[in-house]
Amino acid sequence: MAPQLTSDPAEQIIVALDGMAPQQALAFAAAMPELRWVKVGLELYVAGGPAVVQQLREQGKRVFLDLKFHDIPATMAGACRSAARLGAELITVHACAGAEALRAAQTAACASAAAAGFSEPTLLAVTVLTSWDPTRFAAELAIGEPVATYVPRLAQLAAAAGIGGCVCSPLEVAALRAAHPEPFALVTPGIRPAGAALGDQQRVMTPAQAIEAGSSQLVIGRPITAAKDPAAAFAACCAELAVQSE
Ligand code: C5P
């Protein structure tokens, strides 16, 4: 079961702690008391291990552990068991691991969180990474179905296996939301506040546009982490969402 949806802007923004050493990431998070949610990705987790998740939680942050698990069912279950025991509340898995692996991951995560006294985490399925160019995707992986229909197919596979949500591009949100009403979580990176540098993101929406399209939470990295004043950048994103929800 996905966590209670909220219109509190600070709950809707997850800041991606990318490109930072563990001590830097911890200091960054500690300097932003208003920040509720952080995303720990592969780079930070491989450098800092479970300790970085535990220390972020000790600061009172809620953790999205974005390690994109993709393996056989027993290993997916074991990884999700360990992630949930750490107190991660959002955990990514690849939908293309298949229904059996997804079900095993979901069951293990919930049992492990319950045993540790935590509320149920939400597993999020990754469908097709947005870094894929559709033509290369078809040619390199020999997948004949267009990305545009393959993404909703994988989202449906995940939902049917009991997974609580998906990570998706802002451009996919509206179609996925139409097929998967709340409380199915749609967590969306590729967010750029108006006027922010695009960086390597091509197809972006503003925070307000993405929420309007049906996102439940937004992942925002560099527009906040690389800002001169990250706390002010975070506050500006919250203010944009607060105006929208009035
Ligand atoms: O800095 P930026 O806002 O582009 O960071 C976006 C975050 O979301 C990064 O952690 C990136 O790995 C992640 N992400 C993404 N696009 C996806 C999936 C994840 O940018 N399709």
Side-chain angles (χ1 to χ4, degrees):
M1 177 66 82
Q4 192 66 37
L5 291 169
T6 170
S7 57
D8 177 350
E11 286 290 334
Q12 291 175 316
I13 297 176
I14 304 170
V15 171
L17 301 177
D18 297 324
M20 299 182 211
Q23 286 314 318
Q24 245 182 318
L26 291 166
F28 178 90
M32 294 189 47
E34 306 304 324
L35 175 62
R36 312 257 179 88
W37 278 93
V38 291
K39 182 169 88 77
V40 174
L42 285 164
E43 182 183 1
L44 180 56
Y45 191 80
V46 170
V52 83
V53 175
Q54 277 152 352
Q55 286 164 336
L56 286 164
R57 291 197 16 88
E58 281 160 17
Q59 287 184 15
K61 305 304 185 201
R62 304 181 74 178
V63 175
F64 171 8
L65 189 59
D66 184 20
L67 303 182
K68 298 184 177 68
F69 298 132
H70 182 189
D71 214 306
I72 60 170
T75 305
M76 295 271 284
C80 288
R81 192 176 295 120
S82 296
R85 195 181 295 130
L86 283 177
E89 295 183 76
L90 294 170
I91 299 165
T92 42
V93 292
H94 272 283
C96 57
E100 185 189 345
L102 295 172
R103 275 194 299 270
Q106 176 71 29
T107 303
C110 291
S112 172
F118 297 135
S119 56
E120 258 180 35
T122 298
L123 268 51
L124 299 173
V126 176
T127 58
V128 175
L129 294 171
T130 49
S131 49
W132 276 109
D133 163 74
T135 310
R136 255 192 334 103
F137 180 78
E140 291 182 21
L141 302 187
I143 293 174
E145 184 168 7
V147 169
T149 55
Y150 196 59
V151 165
R153 176 188 299 283
L154 288 177
Q156 178 55 39
L157 173 82
I163 298 296
C166 274
V167 179
C168 65
S169 126
L171 302 188
E172 295 161 352
V173 167
L176 289 178
R177 181 54 80 209
H180 303 280
E182 294 170 349
F184 195 76
L186 293 176
V187 176
T188 313
I191 301 298
R192 290 292 177 269
L198 288 184
D200 50 9
Q201 300 279 10
Q202 298 297 328
R203 301 176 308 155
V204 300
M205 281 190 188
T206 67
Q209 285 169 336
I211 293 290
E212 178 71 29
S215 296
S216 32
Q217 284 179 295
L218 313 173
V219 174
I220 307 181
R222 291 159 292 181
I224 292 174
T225 56
K228 274 203 189 91
D229 182 345
F234 176 74
C237 290
C238 291
E240 179 180 331
L241 295 180
V243 166
Q244 180 197 36
S245 68
E246 271 169 10

